[in-house]
Amino acid sequence: MPALGLEPARLDGARHVSTELNTAQCWDLLCSHHTGRFGFSYKGRIMILPVNYLVHNTAIYFRTSPVGSIGDAVPRLTSSFQIDAARPDRSEGWSVLVSGPSSWVQEPDVLAFLRGRAMPEPWGGGERNLFVRIHAAVVTGRHVYLA
């Protein structure tokens, strides 16, 4: 059902095509954005929270507070990170999903590198000075469009 006041984006006779993105395409998209969603299990619930991030050496990094759902949940054996974009006017979109363990960054050389990078400020209030790394064990992506 289309949203009120909007025309349906799908054209009669058009069909959707879904293609997998290769690993290089996924990393290109990950490197071209700065905000994504961190997914993890916390106290029996699946949490998905927005974070500002950067990519370095095939890992995702973001800053957070040691207190709160992310601070309490890291390290994790299983976590996910997702970015996407959609063009409803063209019935088109893409999504990239990174899955793997997450951990606190503790290596002095990596911390020095991250602190020296321009990185969007976390949107959450308060001090966010601890870095989390998501190890990219699996990287997948999909692009859907009208043929």
Side-chain angles (χ1 to χ4, degrees):
M1 172 182 249
L4 295 176
L6 296 177
E7 293 295 318
R10 186 178 170 110
L11 305 172
D12 287 336
R15 74 179 184 88
H16 281 93
V17 174
S18 178
T19 60
E20 288 187 34
L21 300 173
N22 65 40
T23 303
Q25 291 170 315
C26 290
W27 283 110
D28 286 345
L29 289 167
L30 285 162
C31 290
S32 70
H33 287 70
H34 302 287
T35 303
R37 289 173 290 284
F38 179 55
F40 58 100
S41 175
Y42 180 66
K43 295 184 178 181
R45 294 180 57 206
I46 300 298
M47 304 293 289
I48 301 170
L49 301 173
V51 295
N52 291 326
Y53 73 96
L54 63 81
V55 173
H56 175 61
N57 289 342
T58 64
I60 307 294
Y61 294 89
F62 65 90
R63 291 186 349 229
T64 192
S65 168
V67 183
S69 58
I70 294 176
D72 291 346
V74 171
R76 277 280 172 242
L77 290 177
T78 304
S79 61
S80 293
F81 181 82
Q82 192 257 343
I83 63 169
D84 59 27
R87 290 281 315 266
D89 61 318
R90 295 173 51 176
S91 295
E92 180 177 357
W94 59 263
S95 178
V96 173
L97 181 65
V98 174
S99 297
S102 56
S103 61
W104 295 111
V105 177
Q106 297 177 333
E107 304 86 347
D109 58 328
V110 177
L111 285 170
F113 173 83
L114 293 171
R115 289 186 180 125
R117 296 313 246 188
M119 183 178 185
E121 285 294 315
W123 294 349
E127 198 170 303
R128 307 263 186 235
N129 56 7
L130 294 176
F131 282 93
V132 173
R133 171 183 29 235
I134 304 168
H135 303 272
V138 179
V139 179
T140 58
R142 186 160 297 285
H143 180 205
V144 177
Y145 56 95
L146 288 178

